[in-house]
């Protein structure tokens, strides 16, 4: 029962004197006392009945009410049979501590109030127990039939209980999205990530302008040990004030959400394998036709999962590449984070793991661009990154067909380096920020790039393999030193004459002259392509 039930028709004739705004508190039992300090006997949730015999001076009221508030009492009922009307100092103390104060007239026995509360609490518990059995059965049935939205619709319609399942970016996975603003979602996921970072035990509580919310995590795959990839179940209200049985209902719901998350992740395993295969093909400069076949298989899989409709045509799509890196984060976390951040678009994207980072290949029509939109999307994650955590992400321009994907990958990686040079916990850069040779190289077809690199470097690489001469590293150092013999020799820890011999050998093998700017530029570009 709630405190306001003590004022309803059929209840004992009590008068409300203070804290009308707190009448929704849950009453779990009754305690009768006239002790000066009853705090050690309070367990939380009690309606305290008192004859006010503890009061000998106005200051006693403040001390007594402060003790009740600290002990978790939900209301105070003061009897007027012994000492007369409730004094104003007690009313003021209850107002200060937001403690509902009820006056018990001298013709109402404390036993009558205790009996009324006992009947109400027992009836509530019996109803809860019966209802929870039915709720659990219906929840399991709904989860098997209509997914999470069916479960949350059931709770909202049957129990008037608003619940949402949120991605760590604040996106609504299930629940009435129109009843939770974007700003509130952002605050809730930030509160969840911050509480996880402080290793608090759930449920976590968050108080927004709209009221109190309880947050329960629905963990990702156990192999991804980070709250950054967890879903969160947000429940309107403070679960900790519910009865034990109702709290069990919330915990069961969180388990159902976690089970649905696991089922969804299992369905993505094949796409993850395809993504890793595409990244491996790009890394070894595979034939574009081979890459195109894998992309076509990915598109066909997405169409089948979405239902009937026109199938994909091989070579029709323009593709976008995202390159992300996570600093101070466990391996696999960035991949899981991007899958959640992309939302429904992730079902048409290929998200590959790349050490502590990830690479995304996705149809350009499904991409959440521009880069600034991606940064805003990922911004709530800042609350869960920890003291050393950081995510940087680069976005390529669209690449037409598979032949341009290798260049798009390099473009995305260069954009990510630009993002990494910035200040911030989540930084994103796009192709519009690349104003150098990188953009030109990315637009060159793969076969032309391979031919250009091969003509300049193949003979040097072969010589290194045969003689362990270290010519490629010498060439890189020479160009980084702007052609300075002394700086380059010092960097390589060799004599200048040794350096001159190595550079001369490179010129003999390639027919180029490293004193010429044009040849230096060609070598630099070839090394960039390598």
């Amino acid at each position: 029962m709630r405190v306001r039930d003590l004022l309803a028709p059929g209840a004992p004739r009590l008068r409300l004197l203070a804290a009308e705004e707190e009448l929704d508190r849950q009453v779990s039992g009754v305690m009768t006392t006239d002790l000066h300090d009853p705090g050690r006997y309070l367990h939380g949730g009690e309606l305290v009945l008192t004859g006010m015999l503890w009061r000998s001076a106005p200051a006693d009221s403040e001390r007594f009410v402060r003790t009740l508030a600290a002990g978790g009492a939900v209301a105070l009922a003061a009897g007027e049979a012994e000492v007369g009307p409730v004094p104003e100092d007690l009313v003021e103390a209850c107002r200060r501590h937001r403690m509902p104060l009820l006056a018990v007239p001298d013709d109402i026995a404390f036993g009558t109030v205790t009996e009324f509360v006992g009947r109400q609490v027992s009836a509530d518990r019996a109803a809860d127990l019966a209802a929870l059995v039915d709720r659990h059965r219906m929840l399991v049935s709904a989860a098997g039939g209509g997914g999470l939205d069916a479960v949350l619709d059931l709770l909202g319609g049957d129990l008037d209980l608003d619940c949402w399942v949120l991605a760590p970016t604040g996106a609504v996975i299930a629940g009435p999205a129109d009843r939770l603003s974007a700003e509130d979602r952002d605050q809730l996921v930030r509160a969840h990530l911050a509480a996880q970072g402080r290793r608090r035990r759930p449920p976590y509580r968050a108080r927004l302008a709209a009221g109190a919310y309880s947050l329960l995590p629905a963990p990702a795959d156990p192999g991804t040990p980070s709250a950054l990839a967890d879903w969160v179940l947000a429940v309107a209200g403070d679960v900790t004030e519910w009865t034990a049985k109702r709290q069990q209902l919330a915990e069961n719901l969180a388990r159902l959400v976690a089970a649905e998350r696991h089922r969804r992740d299992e369905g993505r395993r094949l796409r993850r394998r395809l993504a890793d295969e595409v990244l491996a093909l790009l890394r070894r400069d595979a034939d574009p036709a081979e890459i195109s076949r894998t992309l076509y298989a990915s598109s066909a899989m997405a169409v089948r999962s979405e239902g009937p409709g026109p199938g994909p045509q091989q070579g029709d799509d323009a593709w976008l590449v995202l390159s992300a890196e996570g600093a101070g984060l466990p391996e696999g976390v960035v991949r899981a984070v991007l899958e959640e951040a992309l939302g429904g678009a992730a079902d048409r994207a290929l998200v590959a793991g790349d050490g502590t980072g990830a690479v995304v290949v996705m149809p350009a029509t499904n991409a959440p661009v521009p880069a600034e939109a991606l940064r805003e999307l990922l911004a709530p994650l800042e609350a869960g990154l920890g003291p050393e955590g950081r995510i940087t992400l680069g976005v390529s321009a669209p690449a037409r067909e598979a032949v341009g994907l290798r260049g798009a990958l390099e473009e995305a990686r260069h954009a990510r380096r630009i993002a990494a040079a910035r200040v911030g916990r989540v930084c994103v850069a796009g192709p519009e920020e690349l104003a150098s040779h990188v953009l030109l190289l990315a637009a060159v077809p793969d076969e032309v790039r391979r031919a250009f690199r091969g003509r300049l470097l193949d003979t040097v690489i072969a010589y290194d393999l045969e003689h362990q001469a270290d010519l490629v590293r010498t060439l890189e150092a020479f160009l980084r030193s702007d052609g300075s013999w002394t700086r380059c020799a010092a960097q390589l820890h060799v004599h200048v004459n040794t350096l001159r011999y190595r550079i001369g050998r490179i010129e003999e093998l390639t027919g180029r002259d490293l004193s010429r700017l044009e040849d230096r530029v060609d070598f630099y570009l070839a090394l960039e392509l390598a």
Side-chain angles (χ1 to χ4, degrees):
M1 67 170 290
R2 298 187 182 276
V3 175
R4 67 172 64 256
D5 296 333
L6 290 163
L7 303 170
R13 291 180 295 101
L14 309 183
R15 303 191 315 276
L16 178 65
L17 301 179
E20 180 180 2
E21 70 278 7
E22 300 292 336
L23 296 183
D24 282 328
R25 293 181 175 185
Q26 196 83 25
V27 179
S28 60
V30 179
M31 174 185 178
T32 302
T33 183
D34 274 309
L35 294 173
H36 286 80
D37 183 4
R40 62 183 179 275
Y41 300 110
L42 292 169
H43 301 288
E46 293 93 348
L47 166 68
V48 175
L49 295 172
T50 180
M52 297 185 289
L53 299 180
W54 43 265
R55 180 182 177 277
S56 57
D60 295 338
S61 295
E62 168 65 25
R63 183 176 60 251
F64 186 78
V65 175
R66 185 171 62 244
T67 299
L68 297 187
V74 296
L76 173 62
E80 297 179 324
E82 292 291 337
V83 299
V86 177
E88 187 60 29
D89 52 85
L90 182 55
V91 176
E92 287 300 318
C94 286
R95 285 176 182 154
R96 281 194 297 273
H97 291 278
R98 303 173 66 88
M99 177 67 65
L101 174 61
L102 306 166
V104 183
D106 56 9
D107 61 336
I108 301 293
F110 280 179
T112 301
V113 178
T114 301
E115 182 181 354
F116 176 80
V117 172
R119 285 199 309 270
Q120 294 295 317
V121 170
S122 296
D124 283 353
R125 287 174 179 164
D128 269 355
L129 186 59
L132 282 168
V133 173
D134 290 339
R135 295 292 175 275
H136 185 267
R137 184 171 62 250
M138 286 188 287
L139 286 176
V140 173
S141 174
L148 290 177
D149 278 311
V151 174
L152 302 188
D153 285 347
L154 170 67
L155 291 176
D158 207 25
L159 293 181
D160 195 25
L161 180 62
D162 284 338
C163 301
W164 299 265
V165 178
L166 304 177
T169 58
V172 177
I173 293 167
D178 59 330
R179 300 182 66 173
L180 194 64
S181 70
E183 182 181 354
D184 286 348
R185 297 199 306 268
D186 181 271
Q187 291 185 53
L188 288 176
V189 295
R190 286 176 184 269
H192 165 252
L193 290 169
Q196 287 273 62
R198 293 192 290 270
R199 301 187 181 278
R200 292 183 177 177
R201 293 186 61 184
Y204 314 125
R205 286 172 289 182
R207 182 166 290 279
L208 309 182
Y213 292 84
S214 299
L215 308 171
L216 295 96
D221 189 316
T224 308
S226 173
L228 287 172
D230 286 355
W231 287 354
V232 55
L233 172 64
V235 181
D238 189 345
V239 171
T240 61
E241 293 183 354
W242 294 2
T243 64
K245 293 297 182 182
R246 284 185 177 271
Q247 289 183 28
Q248 186 65 44
L249 176 65
E251 292 170 5
N252 287 343
L253 179 57
R255 292 190 186 99
L256 283 175
V257 173
E260 177 66 13
R261 170 68 189 275
H262 180 70
R263 185 197 64 76
R264 198 286 313 270
D265 287 348
E266 284 294 317
R268 284 184 173 172
R269 289 190 184 279
L270 179 55
R271 294 196 65 79
R272 284 186 167 192
R273 288 200 294 271
L274 284 173
D276 290 340
E277 181 180 343
V278 166
L279 182 57
L281 292 173
L282 291 175
R283 280 175 168 167
R284 63 180 175 86
D285 276 346
D287 186 338
E290 187 177 359
I291 299 173
S292 183
R293 284 192 294 271
T294 306
L295 295 175
Y296 175 76
S298 165
S299 297
M301 182 191 306
V303 168
R304 284 197 300 272
S305 67
E306 292 167 1
Q313 299 299 313
Q314 193 163 349
D316 276 357
D317 280 330
W319 298 87
L320 197 77
V321 179
L322 283 64
S323 175
E325 184 67 28
L329 301 176
E331 186 169 335
V333 168
V334 174
R335 175 190 231 175
V337 163
L338 286 179
E339 286 176 337
E340 296 307 322
L342 294 173
D347 293 329
R348 295 189 66 87
L350 292 173
V351 187
D354 191 16
T356 57
V359 171
V360 182
V361 178
M362 64 189 306
T365 53
N366 293 100
V369 289
E372 181 60 25
L374 260 176
R375 195 203 66 78
E376 291 179 4
L377 183 66
L378 298 173
L381 301 174
E382 295 174 357
L385 286 173
E388 303 297 329
R390 193 165 186 250
I391 294 176
T392 53
L393 193 146
V395 185
S396 77
R400 189 65 187 171
E401 303 180 358
V403 69
L405 277 181
R406 173 69 185 176
L409 175 59
E410 288 190 14
E411 185 177 317
R413 284 176 169 165
H414 281 286
R416 192 201 62 76
R417 293 189 189 103
I418 291 175
R422 294 174 175 162
V423 175
R425 310 299 298 284
V426 176
C427 297
V428 183
E432 66 280 358
E433 300 179 67
L434 295 173
S436 71
H437 65 281
V438 174
L439 194 58
L440 296 176
L441 291 178
V444 176
D446 283 350
E447 59 271 20
V448 176
R449 292 145 59 90
R450 283 195 295 270
F452 177 79
R453 184 180 63 222
R455 279 198 298 270
L456 269 81
L457 294 181
D458 279 359
T459 56
V460 181
I461 293 171
Y463 188 89
D464 272 353
L465 291 174
E466 183 177 355
H467 300 282
Q468 291 80 47
D470 215 14
L471 295 185
V472 172
R473 189 169 74 92
T474 300
L475 177 60
E476 290 174 332
F478 185 71
L479 295 175
R480 281 198 303 270
S481 303
D482 298 322
S484 168
W485 297 100
T486 53
R487 287 208 313 272
C488 182
Q491 181 181 333
L492 293 173
H493 305 291
V494 299
H495 193 275
V496 170
N497 289 340
T498 301
L499 175 61
R500 291 184 184 276
Y501 170 80
R502 291 181 182 179
I503 295 299
R505 176 59 65 185
I506 292 170
E507 291 173 335
E508 290 175 10
L509 291 169
T510 61
R512 298 297 186 107
D513 182 355
L514 278 164
S515 66
R516 286 166 39 89
L517 176 62
E518 295 90 336
D519 287 341
R520 288 187 187 181
V521 169
D522 284 348
F523 275 120
Y524 175 79
L525 294 177
L527 289 168
E528 284 288 290
L529 291 172

